[in-house]
Every structure is written in structure tokens, then in C-alpha cells.
Amino acid sequence: MQFSDTAREEWRAHWKLVAASTIGGSLMGLGITSFGAFFAPLEQEFGWRRADVALGLTIFAIAGVIFSPLLGGVVDRWGPRRFGVPGVLLAGGAFALFATATPSVVIWGVLWFLYSAIAQIP
């Protein structure tokens, strides 16, 4: 496969953007992909059923369906640079709020809703 000089120059000029996007995209999915390891500890700690623990994943999926198109339109209108770093910082903060979880399933749902809404920011 042959690459033109223009493609090589573009890659040299913008490889940092590709690296940052890859890292950011990977980190956003980390909480969801590692969630299975926390089922048993959460059940034991709070006395919940598996369905109560899994409520978070349901909320995350529904929030993705609702918020992705809305936030995508906002990003298209105002540009991704305004949302990148603040989105990552907010998502990290929202994820850290899981440390404040109590035995209340309602609080668990609120924490997941907050994280899910913020995690849709690209």
C-alpha cells in the first residue's frame, strides 16, 4: 500500500491527536468493561441482588441511547475542543463519586445516571 506525501505529512502533524483520542476512548470504557469484577463485592457489601447491581449497566445503556444524539449535535455545533478535556475530567469525577455509594439502590441509580450522562460527552 502506497501512501501519498500528504498523508504522511498529515500523520506526522497530527499523531498526538490520534494518541490522545485512543487513550481517552479507552479510559471511557474502562469502568464498564471492568464492572463484572465488582458484582460479588457489591452484593456482599450492600446486601443487594444481582439485579440491583446490574441496574447501573441498564441506566448506562439507556443514557447512551438518549444522550448520545443530543450531545453529538451540540459537539457538531460548537466543536469537539470545547468538550474533550472537560468531558474527561467530569467523567473521572463522576466515576470517583461511586466511592460515596450507600446501601440505597436509589443512590446507586442516581450515581449511574450522573456518570452515564457525563460519559456521553465525547
Side-chain angles (χ1 to χ4, degrees):
M1 177 181 253
Q2 294 289 329
F3 291 104
S4 67
D5 288 338
T6 306
R8 284 191 180 110
E9 290 170 15
E10 184 177 359
W11 179 254
R12 258 187 234 114
H14 302 291
W15 70 269
K16 292 178 186 175
L17 176 64
V18 175
S21 299
T22 302
I23 292 168
S26 299
L27 291 176
M28 292 307 292
L30 186 62
I32 299 303
T33 56
S34 65
F35 188 63
F38 297 100
F39 264 77
L42 286 167
E43 287 175 316
Q44 291 171 356
E45 179 69 25
F46 297 127
W48 293 341
R49 299 170 298 145
R50 276 182 98 61
D52 295 335
V53 178
L55 175 67
L57 296 177
T58 304
I59 292 171
F60 189 83
I62 292 170
V65 170
I66 294 170
F67 291 116
S68 288
L70 298 173
L71 291 171
V74 171
V75 170
D76 285 346
R77 176 174 244 190
W78 291 341
R81 288 183 182 228
R82 292 185 180 182
F83 298 96
V85 172
V88 169
L89 294 175
L90 285 172
F95 193 77
L97 285 175
F98 283 114
T100 66
T102 67
S104 169
V105 176
V106 173
I107 298 296
W108 182 245
V110 169
L111 290 171
W112 269 100
F113 179 79
L114 180 66
Y115 172 70
S116 300
I118 291 172
Q120 303 309 313
I121 299 172

Coordinates of all heavy atoms in Angstrom, one line a residue, residues 3-78:
F3 N 1.3 5.3 0.4 CA 0.7 6.5 1.0 C 1.3 7.7 0.3 O 2.5 7.8 0.0 CB 1.1 6.6 2.5 CG 0.4 5.5 3.3 CD1 1.1 4.4 3.8 CD2 -1.0 5.6 3.6 CE1 0.4 3.5 4.5 CE2 -1.6 4.7 4.3 CZ -0.9 3.6 4.8
S4 N 0.5 8.7 0.1 CA 1.0 9.9 -0.5 C 1.7 10.7 0.5 O 1.7 10.5 1.7 CB -0.2 10.7 -1.1 OG -1.0 11.2 0.0
D5 N 2.5 11.7 0.0 CA 3.3 12.6 0.9 C 2.3 13.4 1.7 O 2.6 13.6 2.9 CB 4.1 13.5 0.0 CG 5.3 12.8 -0.6 OD1 5.7 11.7 -0.1 OD2 5.9 13.3 -1.6
T6 N 1.2 13.7 1.2 CA 0.2 14.5 2.0 C -0.3 13.7 3.2 O -0.4 14.2 4.3 CB -1.0 14.8 1.1 OG1 -0.5 15.5 0.0 CG2 -2.0 15.7 1.9
A7 N -0.5 12.4 3.0 CA -1.0 11.5 4.1 C 0.1 11.4 5.2 O -0.2 11.4 6.4 CB -1.4 10.2 3.6
R8 N 1.4 11.2 4.8 CA 2.5 11.1 5.7 C 2.6 12.4 6.5 O 2.9 12.4 7.7 CB 3.8 10.8 5.0 CG 3.8 9.4 4.5 CD 5.2 9.0 4.1 NE 5.3 7.6 3.7 CZ 5.4 7.2 2.4 NH1 5.5 8.1 1.5 NH2 5.4 5.9 2.2
E9 N 2.5 13.5 5.8 CA 2.6 14.8 6.5 C 1.5 15.0 7.5 O 1.7 15.5 8.6 CB 2.6 16.0 5.5 CG 3.9 16.0 4.6 CD 3.8 17.0 3.5 OE1 2.8 17.8 3.5 OE2 4.6 16.9 2.5
E10 N 0.3 14.6 7.1 CA -0.8 14.8 8.0 C -0.6 13.9 9.2 O -0.9 14.3 10.4 CB -2.1 14.4 7.3 CG -3.3 14.5 8.1 CD -4.6 14.2 7.4 OE1 -4.5 13.8 6.2 OE2 -5.7 14.3 8.0
W11 N -0.1 12.7 9.0 CA 0.1 11.8 10.2 C 1.2 12.4 11.1 O 1.0 12.4 12.3 CB 0.5 10.4 9.7 CG 0.8 9.5 10.9 CD1 2.0 9.0 11.3 CD2 -0.1 8.9 11.8 NE1 1.9 8.2 12.4 CE2 0.6 8.1 12.7 CE3 -1.5 9.0 11.9 CZ2 0.0 7.4 13.7 CZ3 -2.1 8.3 12.9 CH2 -1.4 7.5 13.8
R12 N 2.3 12.9 10.5 CA 3.3 13.5 11.3 C 2.8 14.7 12.1 O 3.2 14.9 13.3 CB 4.5 13.9 10.4 CG 5.6 13.0 10.4 CD 6.8 13.6 9.7 NE 7.2 12.6 8.7 CZ 7.1 12.7 7.4 NH1 6.7 13.8 6.8 NH2 7.4 11.7 6.6
A13 N 2.0 15.5 11.5 CA 1.5 16.7 12.2 C 0.4 16.4 13.2 O 0.3 17.1 14.2 CB 0.9 17.6 11.1
H14 N -0.3 15.3 13.1 CA -1.5 15.1 14.0 C -1.5 13.7 14.7 O -2.5 13.3 15.2 CB -2.8 15.2 13.2 CG -2.9 16.5 12.5 ND1 -3.2 17.7 13.2 CD2 -2.8 16.8 11.2 CE1 -3.2 18.7 12.3 NE2 -3.0 18.2 11.1
W15 N -0.3 13.1 14.8 CA -0.3 11.8 15.5 C -0.7 11.9 17.0 O -1.2 11.0 17.6 CB 1.1 11.1 15.4 CG 2.2 11.8 16.2 CD1 3.0 12.8 15.7 CD2 2.5 11.6 17.5 NE1 3.8 13.2 16.7 CE2 3.6 12.5 17.8 CE3 2.1 10.7 18.5 CZ2 4.2 12.5 19.1 CZ3 2.6 10.8 19.8 CH2 3.7 11.7 20.0
K16 N -0.4 13.1 17.6 CA -0.8 13.3 19.0 C -2.3 13.3 19.2 O -2.8 12.8 20.2 CB -0.2 14.6 19.5 CG 1.3 14.7 19.6 CD 1.8 16.0 20.0 CE 3.3 16.1 20.0 NZ 3.8 17.4 20.3
L17 N -3.0 13.8 18.3 CA -4.5 13.8 18.4 C -5.0 12.3 18.3 O -5.9 12.0 19.1 CB -5.1 14.5 17.2 CG -6.6 14.5 17.1 CD1 -7.2 15.2 18.3 CD2 -7.1 15.2 15.8
V18 N -4.4 11.5 17.5 CA -4.8 10.1 17.4 C -4.5 9.4 18.7 O -5.3 8.6 19.3 CB -4.1 9.4 16.2 CG1 -4.4 7.9 16.2 CG2 -4.5 10.0 14.9
A19 N -3.3 9.6 19.3 CA -2.9 9.0 20.5 C -3.8 9.5 21.7 O -4.3 8.6 22.5 CB -1.5 9.4 20.9
A20 N -4.1 10.7 21.8 CA -5.0 11.2 22.8 C -6.4 10.7 22.7 O -7.0 10.3 23.7 CB -5.0 12.8 22.8
S21 N -6.9 10.6 21.5 CA -8.2 10.0 21.2 C -8.3 8.6 21.6 O -9.3 8.1 22.2 CB -8.6 10.2 19.8 OG -8.7 11.5 19.4
T22 N -7.3 7.8 21.3 CA -7.2 6.4 21.6 C -7.2 6.2 23.2 O -7.9 5.4 23.7 CB -6.0 5.8 21.0 OG1 -6.0 5.9 19.6 CG2 -5.9 4.3 21.4
I23 N -6.4 7.0 23.8 CA -6.3 6.9 25.3 C -7.6 7.3 25.9 O -8.2 6.6 26.8 CB -5.1 7.7 25.9 CG1 -3.8 7.1 25.4 CG2 -5.2 7.8 27.4 CD1 -2.6 8.0 25.7
G24 N -8.2 8.4 25.5 CA -9.4 8.9 26.0 C -10.6 7.9 25.8 O -11.4 7.6 26.7
G25 N -10.7 7.4 24.6 CA -11.7 6.4 24.3 C -11.6 5.1 25.1 O -12.6 4.6 25.6
S26 N -10.4 4.7 25.3 CA -10.1 3.5 26.1 C -10.5 3.7 27.6 O -11.1 2.9 28.2 CB -8.7 3.1 26.0 OG -8.3 2.8 24.7
L27 N -10.1 4.9 28.1 CA -10.4 5.2 29.5 C -11.9 5.3 29.8 O -12.4 4.9 30.8 CB -9.7 6.4 30.0 CG -8.2 6.3 30.1 CD1 -7.6 7.7 30.4 CD2 -7.8 5.3 31.1
M28 N -12.7 5.8 28.8 CA -14.1 6.0 29.0 C -14.8 4.6 29.1 O -15.8 4.5 29.8 CB -14.7 6.8 27.9 CG -14.3 8.2 27.8 SD -14.5 9.1 29.4 CE -16.3 9.2 29.5
G29 N -14.3 3.6 28.5 CA -14.9 2.3 28.6 C -14.4 1.4 29.7 O -15.0 0.4 30.0
L30 N -13.4 1.9 30.4 CA -12.8 1.1 31.4 C -13.8 0.8 32.6 O -13.8 -0.4 33.0 CB -11.6 1.8 32.0 CG -10.7 1.1 33.0 CD1 -10.1 -0.2 32.3 CD2 -9.6 2.0 33.5
G31 N -14.5 1.7 33.0 CA -15.5 1.5 34.1 C -16.5 0.4 33.7 O -16.9 -0.4 34.6
I32 N -17.0 0.4 32.5 CA -18.0 -0.5 32.1 C -17.4 -1.9 31.9 O -18.0 -2.9 32.3 CB -18.7 -0.1 30.8 CG1 -19.3 1.3 31.0 CG2 -19.7 -1.1 30.3 CD1 -20.4 1.3 32.2
T33 N -16.3 -2.0 31.2 CA -15.7 -3.3 30.9 C -15.1 -4.0 32.2 O -15.1 -5.2 32.2 CB -14.5 -3.2 29.9 OG1 -13.6 -2.3 30.4 CG2 -15.1 -2.7 28.6
S34 N -14.8 -3.3 33.2 CA -14.3 -3.9 34.4 C -15.4 -4.1 35.5 O -15.1 -4.6 36.5 CB -13.2 -3.0 35.0 OG -13.7 -1.8 35.4
F35 N -16.6 -3.7 35.2 CA -17.7 -3.8 36.1 C -18.0 -5.2 36.6 O -18.4 -5.3 37.8 CB -18.9 -3.1 35.5 CG -20.0 -2.9 36.5 CD1 -19.9 -2.1 37.6 CD2 -21.2 -3.6 36.3 CE1 -20.9 -1.9 38.5 CE2 -22.3 -3.4 37.2 CZ -22.1 -2.5 38.3
G36 N -17.8 -6.2 35.8 CA -18.1 -7.5 36.2 C -17.4 -8.0 37.5 O -17.9 -8.8 38.3
A37 N -16.2 -7.5 37.6 CA -15.4 -7.9 38.8 C -15.9 -7.4 40.1 O -15.5 -7.8 41.2 CB -13.9 -7.4 38.6
F38 N -16.8 -6.4 40.0 CA -17.3 -5.8 41.2 C -18.7 -6.3 41.7 O -19.2 -5.9 42.7 CB -17.4 -4.3 41.1 CG -16.0 -3.7 40.9 CD1 -15.6 -3.3 39.6 CD2 -15.2 -3.4 41.9 CE1 -14.3 -2.8 39.4 CE2 -13.9 -2.9 41.8 CZ -13.5 -2.6 40.5
F39 N -19.3 -7.2 40.9 CA -20.6 -7.7 41.2 C -20.7 -8.3 42.6 O -21.5 -7.9 43.4 CB -21.1 -8.7 40.2 CG -22.0 -8.1 39.1 CD1 -21.5 -7.3 38.1 CD2 -23.3 -8.3 39.1 CE1 -22.3 -6.8 37.1 CE2 -24.2 -7.7 38.2 CZ -23.6 -7.0 37.2
A40 N -19.8 -9.3 42.8 CA -19.9 -10.1 44.1 C -19.5 -9.1 45.3 O -20.2 -9.2 46.3 CB -18.9 -11.3 44.0
P41 N -18.5 -8.3 45.2 CA -18.2 -7.4 46.3 C -19.3 -6.5 46.6 O -19.6 -6.2 47.8 CB -16.9 -6.7 45.9 CG -16.3 -7.5 44.9 CD -17.4 -8.2 44.2
L42 N -20.0 -5.9 45.6 CA -21.1 -5.0 45.9 C -22.3 -5.8 46.5 O -23.0 -5.3 47.4 CB -21.6 -4.4 44.6 CG -20.6 -3.3 44.1 CD1 -21.0 -2.9 42.6 CD2 -20.7 -2.1 45.0
E43 N -22.6 -7.0 46.0 CA -23.6 -7.8 46.6 C -23.4 -8.1 48.1 O -24.3 -7.9 48.9 CB -23.8 -9.2 45.9 CG -24.4 -9.1 44.5 CD -24.3 -10.4 43.8 OE1 -23.3 -11.1 43.8 OE2 -25.4 -10.7 43.2
Q44 N -22.1 -8.4 48.4 CA -21.8 -8.7 49.8 C -21.8 -7.4 50.7 O -22.3 -7.5 51.8 CB -20.4 -9.3 49.8 CG -20.4 -10.7 49.3 CD -18.9 -11.3 49.2 OE1 -18.0 -10.6 49.4 NE2 -18.8 -12.5 48.7
E45 N -21.3 -6.4 50.2 CA -21.2 -5.1 51.0 C -22.5 -4.5 51.3 O -22.8 -4.1 52.4 CB -20.3 -4.1 50.2 CG -20.1 -2.8 50.9 CD -19.3 -2.9 52.2 OE1 -18.5 -3.8 52.3 OE2 -19.5 -2.0 53.1
F46 N -23.4 -4.5 50.3 CA -24.7 -3.8 50.5 C -25.9 -4.7 50.6 O -27.0 -4.2 50.9 CB -24.9 -2.8 49.3 CG -23.9 -1.7 49.2 CD1 -23.2 -1.5 48.0 CD2 -23.6 -0.9 50.3 CE1 -22.2 -0.5 47.9 CE2 -22.6 0.1 50.2 CZ -22.0 0.3 49.0
G47 N -25.7 -6.0 50.4 CA -26.8 -6.9 50.6 C -27.8 -6.8 49.4 O -28.9 -7.2 49.5
W48 N -27.3 -6.4 48.2 CA -28.1 -6.3 47.1 C -28.2 -7.6 46.3 O -27.4 -8.5 46.4 CB -27.5 -5.2 46.1 CG -27.6 -3.8 46.6 CD1 -28.3 -3.3 47.6 CD2 -26.8 -2.8 46.1 NE1 -28.1 -2.0 47.8 CE2 -27.1 -1.6 46.9 CE3 -25.8 -2.6 45.1 CZ2 -26.5 -0.4 46.6 CZ3 -25.3 -1.4 44.9 CH2 -25.6 -0.3 45.7
R49 N -29.3 -7.6 45.4 CA -29.4 -8.7 44.5 C -28.6 -8.4 43.3 O -28.2 -7.2 43.1 CB -30.8 -8.9 44.1 CG -31.8 -9.3 45.2 CD -33.2 -9.2 44.8 NE -33.5 -7.8 44.4 CZ -34.3 -7.4 43.4 NH1 -35.0 -8.3 42.7 NH2 -34.5 -6.2 43.1
R50 N -28.3 -9.4 42.4 CA -27.5 -9.1 41.2 C -28.2 -8.1 40.3 O -27.6 -7.2 39.6 CB -27.3 -10.4 40.4 CG -26.1 -11.1 40.9 CD -25.8 -12.4 40.1 NE -24.8 -12.3 39.0 CZ -23.6 -12.1 39.2 NH1 -23.1 -11.8 40.4 NH2 -22.7 -12.1 38.2
A51 N -29.6 -8.1 40.3 CA -30.3 -7.2 39.5 C -30.1 -5.7 40.0 O -30.1 -4.8 39.2 CB -31.8 -7.5 39.6
D52 N -30.0 -5.6 41.3 CA -29.8 -4.2 41.8 C -28.4 -3.7 41.3 O -28.3 -2.5 41.0 CB -29.8 -4.2 43.3 CG -31.2 -4.6 43.9 OD1 -32.2 -4.3 43.2 OD2 -31.3 -5.1 45.0
V53 N -27.4 -4.5 41.4 CA -26.1 -4.1 40.9 C -26.1 -3.8 39.4 O -25.5 -2.9 39.0 CB -25.0 -5.2 41.3 CG1 -23.7 -4.8 40.8 CG2 -25.0 -5.5 42.8
A54 N -26.8 -4.7 38.7 CA -26.8 -4.5 37.2 C -27.6 -3.4 36.8 O -27.6 -3.0 35.6 CB -27.3 -5.8 36.6
L55 N -28.4 -2.8 37.7 CA -29.2 -1.6 37.3 C -28.3 -0.5 36.7 O -28.7 0.2 35.8 CB -29.9 -1.1 38.6 CG -30.7 0.2 38.4 CD1 -31.9 0.0 37.5 CD2 -31.1 0.8 39.8
G56 N -27.1 -0.4 37.2 CA -26.2 0.6 36.6 C -25.9 0.4 35.2 O -25.9 1.4 34.4
L57 N -25.7 -0.8 34.7 CA -25.5 -1.0 33.3 C -26.7 -0.7 32.5 O -26.6 -0.3 31.3 CB -25.0 -2.5 33.1 CG -23.7 -2.9 33.8 CD1 -23.4 -4.3 33.6 CD2 -22.6 -2.0 33.2
T58 N -27.9 -1.0 33.0 CA -29.1 -0.7 32.3 C -29.2 0.8 32.1 O -29.6 1.3 31.0 CB -30.3 -1.2 33.1 OG1 -30.2 -2.6 33.2 CG2 -31.6 -0.9 32.3
I59 N -29.0 1.6 33.2 CA -29.0 3.0 33.1 C -28.0 3.5 32.1 O -28.3 4.5 31.3 CB -28.8 3.6 34.5 CG1 -30.0 3.3 35.4 CG2 -28.6 5.1 34.5 CD1 -29.8 3.7 36.9
F60 N -26.8 3.0 32.1 CA -25.8 3.4 31.2 C -26.2 3.2 29.7 O -26.0 4.1 28.9 CB -24.5 2.6 31.5 CG -23.3 3.2 30.7 CD1 -22.6 4.2 31.2 CD2 -22.9 2.6 29.5 CE1 -21.5 4.7 30.5 CE2 -21.8 3.1 28.8 CZ -21.1 4.2 29.3
A61 N -26.8 2.1 29.5 CA -27.3 1.8 28.1 C -28.4 2.7 27.7 O -28.4 3.3 26.5 CB -27.8 0.3 28.0
I62 N -29.3 3.0 28.5 CA -30.5 3.9 28.2 C -29.9 5.3 28.0 O -30.4 6.0 27.1 CB -31.6 3.8 29.3 CG1 -32.2 2.4 29.2 CG2 -32.6 4.9 29.1 CD1 -33.2 2.1 30.4
A63 N -29.1 5.7 28.9 CA -28.5 7.1 28.8 C -27.7 7.2 27.5 O -27.8 8.3 26.9 CB -27.6 7.4 30.0
G64 N -27.1 6.2 27.0 CA -26.4 6.3 25.7 C -27.3 6.5 24.6 O -27.1 7.3 23.7
V65 N -28.4 5.8 24.6 CA -29.5 6.0 23.6 C -30.0 7.4 23.6 O -30.3 8.0 22.5 CB -30.6 4.9 23.7 CG1 -31.7 5.2 22.8 CG2 -30.0 3.5 23.5
I66 N -30.3 7.9 24.8 CA -30.9 9.2 24.9 C -29.9 10.4 24.7 O -30.2 11.3 23.9 CB -31.6 9.4 26.3 CG1 -32.7 8.4 26.4 CG2 -32.1 10.8 26.5 CD1 -33.3 8.3 27.8
F67 N -28.8 10.3 25.4 CA -27.9 11.5 25.4 C -26.9 11.5 24.2 O -26.5 12.6 23.8 CB -27.1 11.5 26.7 CG -27.9 11.9 27.9 CD1 -28.1 11.0 28.9 CD2 -28.6 13.1 28.0 CE1 -28.9 11.2 30.0 CE2 -29.4 13.4 29.0 CZ -29.5 12.5 30.1
S68 N -26.5 10.4 23.6 CA -25.5 10.5 22.5 C -26.0 11.3 21.4 O -25.2 12.2 20.9 CB -25.2 9.1 22.0 OG -24.4 8.4 23.0
P69 N -27.2 11.2 20.8 CA -27.6 12.0 19.7 C -27.6 13.5 20.1 O -27.2 14.4 19.4 CB -29.0 11.5 19.3 CG -29.1 10.2 19.9 CD -28.2 10.1 21.1
L70 N -28.1 13.8 21.3 CA -28.2 15.2 21.8 C -26.9 15.8 21.9 O -26.6 16.9 21.4 CB -29.0 15.2 23.1 CG -30.4 14.7 23.1 CD1 -31.0 14.7 24.5 CD2 -31.3 15.6 22.2
L71 N -26.0 15.2 22.6 CA -24.6 15.7 22.8 C -23.8 15.7 21.6 O -23.0 16.6 21.4 CB -23.9 15.0 24.0 CG -24.5 15.2 25.3 CD1 -23.9 14.2 26.4 CD2 -24.3 16.6 25.8
G72 N -24.1 14.7 20.7 CA -23.4 14.7 19.4 C -23.8 16.0 18.6 O -22.9 16.6 17.9
G73 N -25.0 16.4 18.6 CA -25.4 17.6 17.9 C -24.8 18.8 18.5 O -24.4 19.8 17.8
V74 N -24.7 18.9 19.8 CA -24.1 20.0 20.5 C -22.6 20.1 20.1 O -22.0 21.2 19.8 CB -24.2 19.9 22.0 CG1 -23.4 21.0 22.7 CG2 -25.7 20.1 22.4
V75 N -21.9 19.0 20.1 CA -20.5 18.9 19.7 C -20.3 19.3 18.3 O -19.4 20.1 17.9 CB -19.9 17.5 20.0 CG1 -18.5 17.4 19.4 CG2 -19.8 17.3 21.5
D76 N -21.2 18.9 17.4 CA -21.1 19.3 16.0 C -21.3 20.8 15.8 O -20.6 21.4 15.0 CB -22.2 18.6 15.2 CG -21.9 17.1 14.9 OD1 -20.7 16.7 15.1 OD2 -22.8 16.4 14.5
R77 N -22.1 21.4 16.7 CA -22.4 22.8 16.5 C -21.2 23.6 17.1 O -20.8 24.6 16.5 CB -23.7 23.1 17.3 CG -23.9 24.6 17.3 CD -25.3 24.8 17.9 NE -26.1 25.4 16.8 CZ -27.3 26.0 17.0 NH1 -27.8 25.9 18.2 NH2 -27.9 26.5 16.0
W78 N -20.7 23.2 18.3 CA -19.7 24.1 18.9 C -18.3 23.5 18.8 O -17.3 24.2 19.2 CB -20.0 24.2 20.4 CG -21.2 25.0 20.7 CD1 -21.8 25.9 19.8 CD2 -22.0 25.1 21.8 NE1 -22.9 26.5 20.4 CE2 -23.1 26.0 21.6 CE3 -22.0 24.4 23.0 CZ2 -24.0 26.2 22.6 CZ3 -22.9 24.7 24.0 CH2 -23.9 25.6 23.8

